[in-house]
Amino acid sequence: MEVIHSIADLRSRIKDYRRKNDQSVGFVPTMGYLHEGHASLLRKARAQSGLVVLSIFVNPLQFGPGEDFERYPRNTERDLQLAEAAGVDLVFMPSVSEMYPSPTRTTVSVTGLTSRLCGASRPGHFDGVATVVSKLFHIVQPDQAFFGLKDAQQVAVIEQMVQDLNLGIEIVPCPILREADGLAMSSRNVYLSEEERKEALVLSQSLQKAKAFVESHTAFTPQELESLVSQHIATSSLAIIDYVEVLAYPTLEPFKNSHHTHSIIIALAVKFGKTRLIDNLILQVGK
Ligand SMILES: Nc1ncnc2c1ncn2[C@@H]1O[C@H](COP(=O)(O)OP(=O)(O)OP(=O)(O)O)[C@@H](O)[C@H]1O
Ligand SMILES: CC(C)(CO)[C@@H](O)C(=O)[O-]
Ligand code: BAL
């Protein structure tokens, strides 16, 4: 495994690989502080691609004022061990000035899909994500890129960007990995106090309740599911709901009742103290 800091070095390393091999290049972009969720993406890339490229970059463009850019957790040594164990070939770890040597005057903005959920509660967030992912895609030029469905809106946004800009990269969505008790794995879980960590279980529990409701009803409205989920989350006195929304997936359009869509997402963002957690469940519903 090789660790690379400059764009020029990464480009020449990948060019070299392409010259000597006809196998595919797989890419996993991350912000580091890696956990089993990231490892599952890397293992999938390892199984499907000849060369596996991992990027670790905490992207300032996607953090709003007052968000946790400065204190976002970092542990390079542990990240490199996990990457090596997962079979990564190249780790790209650029500095902020390597990625943004001058003020960015070009922004990639995906409209429509970004007007709800995290796009509404984190203004500018998806412009920052689409811009950095598009830069990374141009640098790595992968055949496949692997993204976790924990960030399901991000998957929809990136798929739209790839389609609209004819990037010709296959986006591979990967399932959410959870702790044994159901909490979705996230680098930000490390911020939680012991009590917040216990109470955060209401998130995955509320999604399971919604799943049971969907399975036992032939038809339902999004509002029914939203109130069921919100009410369960409200059983925790520490939880402050940012949003709970049920939409069609991957269009992220509202629908009137379950007869009007095939696939739905139950998406939530909830704060415990200063820590904002997201989770979701995507379900197929009968027409
Ligand atoms: N529990 C998980 N299961 C599957 N994929 C995940 C999981 N957590 C993160 N990922 C995916 O890993 C990639 C990198 O995500 P990122 O580095 O932001 O990690 P994170 O744990 O989601 O951090 P954060 O605390 O910022 O949400 C994204 O595609 C993300 O969806
Ligand atoms: C895709 C990504 C690495 C872009 O900074 C980030 O949004 C993330 O970790 O999901
Ligand atoms: N995985 C999403 C990155 C962020 O929260 O900024």
Side-chain angles (χ1 to χ4, degrees):
M1 188 176 82
E2 211 178 313
V3 181
I4 297 173
H5 298 281
S6 89
I7 294 170
D9 287 351
L10 183 67
R11 278 213 164 114
S12 84
R13 192 65 192 73
I14 292 171
K15 201 170 162 193
D16 200 38
Y17 178 84
R18 292 251 190 226
R19 210 173 28 237
K20 296 180 187 147
N21 298 273
D22 61 2
Q23 283 171 294
S24 63
V25 173
F27 178 44
V28 180
T30 77
M31 302 206 302
Y33 210 74
L34 304 180
H35 50 66
E36 266 303 299
H38 299 112
S40 71
L41 268 52
L42 293 169
R43 283 194 292 266
K44 199 158 198 172
R46 181 69 283 160
Q48 292 190 17
S49 319
L51 186 79
V52 176
V53 183
L54 160 70
S55 69
I56 298 178
F57 179 63
V58 184
N59 171 37
L61 278 195
Q62 69 190 71
F63 288 80
E67 288 190 350
D68 57 345
F69 173 67
E70 300 296 342
R71 67 183 191 114
Y72 195 83
R74 292 161 169 90
N75 188 335
T76 303
E77 200 180 317
R78 221 185 41 164
D79 284 354
L80 295 181
Q81 281 169 11
L82 185 145
E84 178 113 59
V88 170
D89 298 302
L90 303 179
V91 185
F92 180 47
M93 292 185 64
S95 62
V96 172
S97 60
E98 178 71 4
M99 286 299 281
Y100 304 114
S102 59
T104 315
R105 296 192 190 87
T106 305
T107 298
V108 180
S109 192
V110 177
T111 57
L113 284 170
T114 54
S115 64
R116 298 191 177 87
L117 308 177
C118 289
S121 60
R122 300 182 68 186
H125 169 67
F126 284 113
D127 286 358
V129 170
T131 301
V132 79
V133 171
S134 136
K135 280 168 75 81
L136 291 166
F137 280 179
H138 282 102
I139 295 165
V140 176
Q141 297 184 16
D143 298 288
Q144 302 104 18
F146 301 78
F147 288 85
L149 281 165
K150 200 199 72 170
D151 299 274
Q153 187 175 19
Q154 175 169 277
V155 171
V157 167
I158 300 298
E159 279 176 339
Q160 188 70 51
M161 178 182 88
V162 165
Q163 190 184 318
D164 290 348
L165 300 182
N166 305 95
L167 298 184
I169 297 167
E170 183 198 353
I171 301 303
V172 184
C174 304
I176 302 177
L177 254 77
R178 297 178 179 280
E179 303 290 352
D181 61 6
L183 181 70
M185 290 183 183
S186 162
S187 309
R188 290 188 170 99
N189 290 347
V190 71
Y191 296 149
L192 298 169
S193 70
E194 208 175 309
E195 204 190 348
E196 289 166 346
R197 169 68 183 79
K198 274 191 207 138
E199 301 241 336
L201 274 190
V202 293
L203 305 185
S204 53
Q205 285 168 354
S206 72
L207 294 174
Q208 285 310 308
K209 277 186 170 253
K211 183 166 186 266
F213 184 89
V214 168
E215 285 168 355
S216 60
H217 289 73
T218 47
F220 57 86
T221 65
Q223 290 72 31
E224 281 175 299
L225 283 187
E226 285 166 6
S227 36
L228 187 148
V229 169
S230 303
Q231 277 166 24
H232 187 74
I233 294 172
T235 60
S236 160
S237 58
L238 300 182
I240 299 163
I241 295 178
D242 178 354
Y243 64 74
V244 171
E245 274 188 77
V246 176
L247 299 166
Y249 191 83
T251 59
L252 302 180
E253 292 289 344
F255 60 93
K256 282 207 170 72
N257 78 43
S258 54
H259 288 310
H260 296 137
T261 184
H262 292 288
S263 178
I264 64 164
I265 183 166
I266 308 162
L268 56 86
V270 176
K271 275 184 127 183
F272 290 85
K274 282 188 184 159
T275 308
R276 182 177 175 281
L277 301 179
I278 58 171
D279 199 351
N280 72 78
L281 185 65
I282 294 171
L283 295 172
Q284 306 308 314
V285 291
K287 241 196 161 178

PDB file of all heavy atoms in Angstrom, residues 5 10 15 17 32 38 62 67 75 83 87 99 112 117 126 129 140 144 150 155 158 165 168 179 214 217 229 232 256:
ATOM      1  N   HIS A   5       0.355  12.078  -1.346  1.00  0.00           N
ATOM      2  CA  HIS A   5      -0.184  13.368  -0.893  1.00  0.00           C
ATOM      3  C   HIS A   5      -0.442  14.339  -2.040  1.00  0.00           C
ATOM      4  O   HIS A   5      -1.223  15.269  -1.893  1.00  0.00           O
ATOM      5  CB  HIS A   5       0.767  14.001   0.126  1.00  0.00           C
ATOM      6  CG  HIS A   5       0.919  13.162   1.365  1.00  0.00           C
ATOM      7  ND1 HIS A   5      -0.027  13.149   2.378  1.00  0.00           N
ATOM      8  CD2 HIS A   5       1.873  12.270   1.735  1.00  0.00           C
ATOM      9  CE1 HIS A   5       0.360  12.303   3.321  1.00  0.00           C
ATOM     10  NE2 HIS A   5       1.501  11.747   2.951  1.00  0.00           N
ATOM     11  N   LEU A  10      -0.384  11.047  -7.641  1.00  0.00           N
ATOM     12  CA  LEU A  10      -1.484  10.072  -7.750  1.00  0.00           C
ATOM     13  C   LEU A  10      -1.810   9.826  -9.224  1.00  0.00           C
ATOM     14  O   LEU A  10      -1.965   8.683  -9.662  1.00  0.00           O
ATOM     15  CB  LEU A  10      -2.724  10.579  -7.002  1.00  0.00           C
ATOM     16  CG  LEU A  10      -3.901   9.601  -6.991  1.00  0.00           C
ATOM     17  CD1 LEU A  10      -3.576   8.345  -6.175  1.00  0.00           C
ATOM     18  CD2 LEU A  10      -5.170  10.238  -6.434  1.00  0.00           C
ATOM     19  N   LYS A  15      -1.908   6.343 -13.903  1.00  0.00           N
ATOM     20  CA  LYS A  15      -1.604   6.256 -15.341  1.00  0.00           C
ATOM     21  C   LYS A  15      -0.701   5.051 -15.610  1.00  0.00           C
ATOM     22  O   LYS A  15      -0.905   4.270 -16.543  1.00  0.00           O
ATOM     23  CB  LYS A  15      -0.901   7.551 -15.774  1.00  0.00           C
ATOM     24  CG  LYS A  15      -0.977   7.831 -17.244  1.00  0.00           C
ATOM     25  CD  LYS A  15      -0.485   9.237 -17.515  1.00  0.00           C
ATOM     26  CE  LYS A  15      -0.139   9.415 -18.970  1.00  0.00           C
ATOM     27  NZ  LYS A  15       0.618  10.646 -19.209  1.00  0.00           N
ATOM     28  N   TYR A  17      -0.448   2.371 -13.736  1.00  0.00           N
ATOM     29  CA  TYR A  17      -1.230   1.142 -13.549  1.00  0.00           C
ATOM     30  C   TYR A  17      -2.047   0.840 -14.801  1.00  0.00           C
ATOM     31  O   TYR A  17      -2.067  -0.290 -15.290  1.00  0.00           O
ATOM     32  CB  TYR A  17      -2.159   1.279 -12.323  1.00  0.00           C
ATOM     33  CG  TYR A  17      -3.012   0.047 -12.117  1.00  0.00           C
ATOM     34  CD1 TYR A  17      -2.512  -1.057 -11.424  1.00  0.00           C
ATOM     35  CD2 TYR A  17      -4.305  -0.030 -12.643  1.00  0.00           C
ATOM     36  CE1 TYR A  17      -3.282  -2.210 -11.270  1.00  0.00           C
ATOM     37  CE2 TYR A  17      -5.074  -1.174 -12.496  1.00  0.00           C
ATOM     38  CZ  TYR A  17      -4.558  -2.255 -11.808  1.00  0.00           C
ATOM     39  OH  TYR A  17      -5.304  -3.383 -11.663  1.00  0.00           O
ATOM     40  N   GLY A  32     -12.069   9.952   6.431  1.00  0.00           N
ATOM     41  CA  GLY A  32     -11.179   9.359   7.424  1.00  0.00           C
ATOM     42  C   GLY A  32     -11.874   9.003   8.729  1.00  0.00           C
ATOM     43  O   GLY A  32     -13.091   8.955   8.804  1.00  0.00           O
ATOM     44  N   HIS A  38     -16.721   1.934   6.584  1.00  0.00           N
ATOM     45  CA  HIS A  38     -15.771   2.238   5.510  1.00  0.00           C
ATOM     46  C   HIS A  38     -15.097   0.945   5.017  1.00  0.00           C
ATOM     47  O   HIS A  38     -14.900   0.763   3.811  1.00  0.00           O
ATOM     48  CB  HIS A  38     -14.672   3.182   6.012  1.00  0.00           C
ATOM     49  CG  HIS A  38     -15.170   4.510   6.498  1.00  0.00           C
ATOM     50  ND1 HIS A  38     -15.121   4.894   7.828  1.00  0.00           N
ATOM     51  CD2 HIS A  38     -15.722   5.548   5.838  1.00  0.00           C
ATOM     52  CE1 HIS A  38     -15.611   6.107   7.947  1.00  0.00           C
ATOM     53  NE2 HIS A  38     -15.991   6.536   6.766  1.00  0.00           N
ATOM     54  N   GLN A  62     -17.732  21.442   2.444  1.00  0.00           N
ATOM     55  CA  GLN A  62     -19.046  20.871   2.730  1.00  0.00           C
ATOM     56  C   GLN A  62     -19.504  21.100   4.175  1.00  0.00           C
ATOM     57  O   GLN A  62     -20.549  20.606   4.576  1.00  0.00           O
ATOM     58  CB  GLN A  62     -19.080  19.381   2.377  1.00  0.00           C
ATOM     59  CG  GLN A  62     -18.251  18.475   3.271  1.00  0.00           C
ATOM     60  CD  GLN A  62     -18.159  17.068   2.693  1.00  0.00           C
ATOM     61  OE1 GLN A  62     -17.494  16.829   1.684  1.00  0.00           O
ATOM     62  NE2 GLN A  62     -18.841  16.122   3.309  1.00  0.00           N
ATOM     63  N   GLU A  67     -20.321  24.446  12.049  1.00  0.00           N
ATOM     64  CA  GLU A  67     -20.294  22.973  12.052  1.00  0.00           C
ATOM     65  C   GLU A  67     -18.916  22.497  12.528  1.00  0.00           C
ATOM     66  O   GLU A  67     -18.066  23.299  12.900  1.00  0.00           O
ATOM     67  CB  GLU A  67     -20.654  22.439  10.662  1.00  0.00           C
ATOM     68  CG  GLU A  67     -22.140  22.632  10.347  1.00  0.00           C
ATOM     69  CD  GLU A  67     -22.604  21.899   9.084  1.00  0.00           C
ATOM     70  OE1 GLU A  67     -21.765  21.372   8.313  1.00  0.00           O
ATOM     71  OE2 GLU A  67     -23.802  21.867   8.857  1.00  0.00           O
ATOM     72  N   ASN A  75      -7.431  10.281  12.781  1.00  0.00           N
ATOM     73  CA  ASN A  75      -6.447   9.330  13.325  1.00  0.00           C
ATOM     74  C   ASN A  75      -5.793   8.594  12.148  1.00  0.00           C
ATOM     75  O   ASN A  75      -6.213   7.504  11.750  1.00  0.00           O
ATOM     76  CB  ASN A  75      -7.115   8.336  14.290  1.00  0.00           C
ATOM     77  CG  ASN A  75      -6.091   7.475  15.007  1.00  0.00           C
ATOM     78  OD1 ASN A  75      -4.978   7.262  14.510  1.00  0.00           O
ATOM     79  ND2 ASN A  75      -6.466   6.962  16.172  1.00  0.00           N
ATOM     80  N   ALA A  83      -6.929   0.482   6.354  1.00  0.00           N
ATOM     81  CA  ALA A  83      -6.876   0.479   4.888  1.00  0.00           C
ATOM     82  C   ALA A  83      -6.013  -0.682   4.386  1.00  0.00           C
ATOM     83  O   ALA A  83      -6.396  -1.404   3.459  1.00  0.00           O
ATOM     84  CB  ALA A  83      -6.318   1.811   4.385  1.00  0.00           C
ATOM     85  N   GLY A  87      -7.014  -4.211   2.091  1.00  0.00           N
ATOM     86  CA  GLY A  87      -6.452  -4.493   0.768  1.00  0.00           C
ATOM     87  C   GLY A  87      -6.376  -3.285  -0.151  1.00  0.00           C
ATOM     88  O   GLY A  87      -6.347  -3.436  -1.375  1.00  0.00           O
ATOM     89  N   MET A  99      -5.745  20.539  -2.527  1.00  0.00           N
ATOM     90  CA  MET A  99      -7.047  20.431  -3.204  1.00  0.00           C
ATOM     91  C   MET A  99      -7.590  21.794  -3.630  1.00  0.00           C
ATOM     92  O   MET A  99      -8.253  21.913  -4.658  1.00  0.00           O
ATOM     93  CB  MET A  99      -8.070  19.739  -2.286  1.00  0.00           C
ATOM     94  CG  MET A  99      -7.855  18.243  -2.134  1.00  0.00           C
ATOM     95  SD  MET A  99      -7.992  17.335  -3.691  1.00  0.00           S
ATOM     96  CE  MET A  99      -9.759  17.238  -3.893  1.00  0.00           C
ATOM     97  N   GLY A 112     -32.636  20.396  -7.194  1.00  0.00           N
ATOM     98  CA  GLY A 112     -33.791  19.512  -7.020  1.00  0.00           C
ATOM     99  C   GLY A 112     -33.589  18.535  -5.880  1.00  0.00           C
ATOM    100  O   GLY A 112     -34.119  18.728  -4.779  1.00  0.00           O
ATOM    101  N   LEU A 117     -34.230  17.395   3.103  1.00  0.00           N
ATOM    102  CA  LEU A 117     -33.390  16.609   4.038  1.00  0.00           C
ATOM    103  C   LEU A 117     -32.114  17.385   4.401  1.00  0.00           C
ATOM    104  O   LEU A 117     -32.197  18.552   4.783  1.00  0.00           O
ATOM    105  CB  LEU A 117     -33.065  15.223   3.434  1.00  0.00           C
ATOM    106  CG  LEU A 117     -34.266  14.399   2.922  1.00  0.00           C
ATOM    107  CD1 LEU A 117     -33.790  13.082   2.288  1.00  0.00           C
ATOM    108  CD2 LEU A 117     -35.265  14.109   4.017  1.00  0.00           C
ATOM    109  N   PHE A 126     -24.293  20.154  -0.062  1.00  0.00           N
ATOM    110  CA  PHE A 126     -24.162  19.281  -1.239  1.00  0.00           C
ATOM    111  C   PHE A 126     -23.389  19.933  -2.385  1.00  0.00           C
ATOM    112  O   PHE A 126     -22.834  19.229  -3.226  1.00  0.00           O
ATOM    113  CB  PHE A 126     -25.528  18.754  -1.688  1.00  0.00           C
ATOM    114  CG  PHE A 126     -26.029  17.656  -0.792  1.00  0.00           C
ATOM    115  CD1 PHE A 126     -27.155  17.837   0.007  1.00  0.00           C
ATOM    116  CD2 PHE A 126     -25.344  16.444  -0.698  1.00  0.00           C
ATOM    117  CE1 PHE A 126     -27.598  16.827   0.858  1.00  0.00           C
ATOM    118  CE2 PHE A 126     -25.779  15.437   0.141  1.00  0.00           C
ATOM    119  CZ  PHE A 126     -26.908  15.622   0.924  1.00  0.00           C
ATOM    120  N   VAL A 129     -20.009  18.862  -1.397  1.00  0.00           N
ATOM    121  CA  VAL A 129     -19.810  17.431  -1.678  1.00  0.00           C
ATOM    122  C   VAL A 129     -19.646  17.216  -3.188  1.00  0.00           C
ATOM    123  O   VAL A 129     -18.686  16.563  -3.634  1.00  0.00           O
ATOM    124  CB  VAL A 129     -20.990  16.581  -1.139  1.00  0.00           C
ATOM    125  CG1 VAL A 129     -20.914  15.146  -1.648  1.00  0.00           C
ATOM    126  CG2 VAL A 129     -21.028  16.602   0.390  1.00  0.00           C
ATOM    127  N   VAL A 140      -8.813  10.869 -10.035  1.00  0.00           N
ATOM    128  CA  VAL A 140      -8.640   9.403  -9.979  1.00  0.00           C
ATOM    129  C   VAL A 140      -9.116   8.738 -11.282  1.00  0.00           C
ATOM    130  O   VAL A 140      -8.560   7.724 -11.696  1.00  0.00           O
ATOM    131  CB  VAL A 140      -9.403   8.822  -8.749  1.00  0.00           C
ATOM    132  CG1 VAL A 140      -9.325   7.305  -8.706  1.00  0.00           C
ATOM    133  CG2 VAL A 140      -8.868   9.422  -7.443  1.00  0.00           C
ATOM    134  N   GLN A 144     -15.257   2.456 -11.115  1.00  0.00           N
ATOM    135  CA  GLN A 144     -16.355   2.353 -10.146  1.00  0.00           C
ATOM    136  C   GLN A 144     -16.023   3.196  -8.923  1.00  0.00           C
ATOM    137  O   GLN A 144     -14.854   3.307  -8.547  1.00  0.00           O
ATOM    138  CB  GLN A 144     -16.536   0.923  -9.605  1.00  0.00           C
ATOM    139  CG  GLN A 144     -16.802  -0.171 -10.599  1.00  0.00           C
ATOM    140  CD  GLN A 144     -15.582  -1.015 -10.853  1.00  0.00           C
ATOM    141  OE1 GLN A 144     -14.634  -1.025 -10.077  1.00  0.00           O
ATOM    142  NE2 GLN A 144     -15.585  -1.736 -11.961  1.00  0.00           N
ATOM    143  N   LYS A 150     -25.747   4.964   4.096  1.00  0.00           N
ATOM    144  CA  LYS A 150     -26.024   5.776   5.299  1.00  0.00           C
ATOM    145  C   LYS A 150     -26.257   7.218   4.866  1.00  0.00           C
ATOM    146  O   LYS A 150     -27.063   7.926   5.428  1.00  0.00           O
ATOM    147  CB  LYS A 150     -24.890   5.693   6.312  1.00  0.00           C
ATOM    148  CG  LYS A 150     -25.363   6.102   7.690  1.00  0.00           C
ATOM    149  CD  LYS A 150     -24.240   6.479   8.591  1.00  0.00           C
ATOM    150  CE  LYS A 150     -23.688   7.787   8.146  1.00  0.00           C
ATOM    151  NZ  LYS A 150     -22.733   8.381   9.060  1.00  0.00           N
ATOM    152  N   VAL A 155     -25.794   9.590  -2.165  1.00  0.00           N
ATOM    153  CA  VAL A 155     -25.754   8.619  -3.275  1.00  0.00           C
ATOM    154  C   VAL A 155     -26.617   9.119  -4.436  1.00  0.00           C
ATOM    155  O   VAL A 155     -26.188   9.112  -5.595  1.00  0.00           O
ATOM    156  CB  VAL A 155     -26.233   7.220  -2.805  1.00  0.00           C
ATOM    157  CG1 VAL A 155     -26.402   6.270  -3.988  1.00  0.00           C
ATOM    158  CG2 VAL A 155     -25.261   6.631  -1.785  1.00  0.00           C
ATOM    159  N   ILE A 158     -24.896  12.135  -6.144  1.00  0.00           N
ATOM    160  CA  ILE A 158     -23.714  11.753  -6.950  1.00  0.00           C
ATOM    161  C   ILE A 158     -24.150  11.011  -8.216  1.00  0.00           C
ATOM    162  O   ILE A 158     -23.610  11.237  -9.298  1.00  0.00           O
ATOM    163  CB  ILE A 158     -22.727  10.883  -6.122  1.00  0.00           C
ATOM    164  CG1 ILE A 158     -22.217  11.651  -4.885  1.00  0.00           C
ATOM    165  CG2 ILE A 158     -21.566  10.389  -6.971  1.00  0.00           C
ATOM    166  CD1 ILE A 158     -21.448  12.912  -5.181  1.00  0.00           C
ATOM    167  N   LEU A 165     -23.411  14.921 -16.033  1.00  0.00           N
ATOM    168  CA  LEU A 165     -22.122  15.373 -16.573  1.00  0.00           C
ATOM    169  C   LEU A 165     -21.419  14.293 -17.401  1.00  0.00           C
ATOM    170  O   LEU A 165     -20.241  14.441 -17.737  1.00  0.00           O
ATOM    171  CB  LEU A 165     -21.199  15.859 -15.436  1.00  0.00           C
ATOM    172  CG  LEU A 165     -21.725  17.032 -14.590  1.00  0.00           C
ATOM    173  CD1 LEU A 165     -20.719  17.447 -13.535  1.00  0.00           C
ATOM    174  CD2 LEU A 165     -22.051  18.227 -15.481  1.00  0.00           C
ATOM    175  N   GLY A 168     -19.401   8.759 -16.813  1.00  0.00           N
ATOM    176  CA  GLY A 168     -19.098   7.367 -17.168  1.00  0.00           C
ATOM    177  C   GLY A 168     -18.473   6.575 -16.038  1.00  0.00           C
ATOM    178  O   GLY A 168     -17.629   5.708 -16.278  1.00  0.00           O
ATOM    179  N   GLU A 179     -23.734  -1.020  14.432  1.00  0.00           N
ATOM    180  CA  GLU A 179     -23.193  -1.650  15.634  1.00  0.00           C
ATOM    181  C   GLU A 179     -24.129  -2.791  16.024  1.00  0.00           C
ATOM    182  O   GLU A 179     -25.271  -2.860  15.540  1.00  0.00           O
ATOM    183  CB  GLU A 179     -23.103  -0.629  16.788  1.00  0.00           C
ATOM    184  CG  GLU A 179     -22.275   0.608  16.478  1.00  0.00           C
ATOM    185  CD  GLU A 179     -20.768   0.326  16.368  1.00  0.00           C
ATOM    186  OE1 GLU A 179     -20.338  -0.802  16.687  1.00  0.00           O
ATOM    187  OE2 GLU A 179     -20.034   1.237  15.944  1.00  0.00           O
ATOM    188  N   VAL A 214     -45.015  -0.724   7.891  1.00  0.00           N
ATOM    189  CA  VAL A 214     -45.156  -0.867   6.428  1.00  0.00           C
ATOM    190  C   VAL A 214     -45.526  -2.306   6.072  1.00  0.00           C
ATOM    191  O   VAL A 214     -46.389  -2.559   5.226  1.00  0.00           O
ATOM    192  CB  VAL A 214     -43.839  -0.452   5.719  1.00  0.00           C
ATOM    193  CG1 VAL A 214     -43.837  -0.861   4.255  1.00  0.00           C
ATOM    194  CG2 VAL A 214     -43.615   1.054   5.851  1.00  0.00           C
ATOM    195  N   HIS A 217     -49.290  -3.073   6.826  1.00  0.00           N
ATOM    196  CA  HIS A 217     -50.365  -2.248   6.263  1.00  0.00           C
ATOM    197  C   HIS A 217     -50.307  -2.285   4.732  1.00  0.00           C
ATOM    198  O   HIS A 217     -49.226  -2.199   4.164  1.00  0.00           O
ATOM    199  CB  HIS A 217     -50.237  -0.791   6.732  1.00  0.00           C
ATOM    200  CG  HIS A 217     -50.580  -0.623   8.180  1.00  0.00           C
ATOM    201  ND1 HIS A 217     -49.761  -1.048   9.198  1.00  0.00           N
ATOM    202  CD2 HIS A 217     -51.679  -0.087   8.768  1.00  0.00           C
ATOM    203  CE1 HIS A 217     -50.325  -0.781  10.351  1.00  0.00           C
ATOM    204  NE2 HIS A 217     -51.497  -0.207  10.131  1.00  0.00           N
ATOM    205  N   VAL A 229     -42.358   7.523  13.626  1.00  0.00           N
ATOM    206  CA  VAL A 229     -40.900   7.616  13.843  1.00  0.00           C
ATOM    207  C   VAL A 229     -40.587   8.746  14.826  1.00  0.00           C
ATOM    208  O   VAL A 229     -39.836   8.566  15.799  1.00  0.00           O
ATOM    209  CB  VAL A 229     -40.159   7.810  12.496  1.00  0.00           C
ATOM    210  CG1 VAL A 229     -38.702   8.170  12.699  1.00  0.00           C
ATOM    211  CG2 VAL A 229     -40.270   6.542  11.646  1.00  0.00           C
ATOM    212  N   HIS A 232     -41.470   7.916  18.447  1.00  0.00           N
ATOM    213  CA  HIS A 232     -40.521   7.014  19.114  1.00  0.00           C
ATOM    214  C   HIS A 232     -39.234   7.763  19.478  1.00  0.00           C
ATOM    215  O   HIS A 232     -38.692   7.571  20.570  1.00  0.00           O
ATOM    216  CB  HIS A 232     -40.203   5.779  18.271  1.00  0.00           C
ATOM    217  CG  HIS A 232     -39.358   4.800  19.035  1.00  0.00           C
ATOM    218  ND1 HIS A 232     -39.866   4.015  20.050  1.00  0.00           N
ATOM    219  CD2 HIS A 232     -38.026   4.555  18.999  1.00  0.00           C
ATOM    220  CE1 HIS A 232     -38.887   3.313  20.583  1.00  0.00           C
ATOM    221  NE2 HIS A 232     -37.747   3.620  19.964  1.00  0.00           N
ATOM    222  N   LYS A 256     -48.243  11.028  -2.089  1.00  0.00           N
ATOM    223  CA  LYS A 256     -49.464  11.175  -1.281  1.00  0.00           C
ATOM    224  C   LYS A 256     -49.723   9.950  -0.410  1.00  0.00           C
ATOM    225  O   LYS A 256     -50.008  10.055   0.769  1.00  0.00           O
ATOM    226  CB  LYS A 256     -50.660  11.437  -2.184  1.00  0.00           C
ATOM    227  CG  LYS A 256     -50.734  12.866  -2.674  1.00  0.00           C
ATOM    228  CD  LYS A 256     -52.190  13.245  -2.961  1.00  0.00           C
ATOM    229  CE  LYS A 256     -52.332  14.732  -3.206  1.00  0.00           C
ATOM    230  NZ  LYS A 256     -51.770  15.136  -4.518  1.00  0.00           N
TER     231      LYS A 256
END
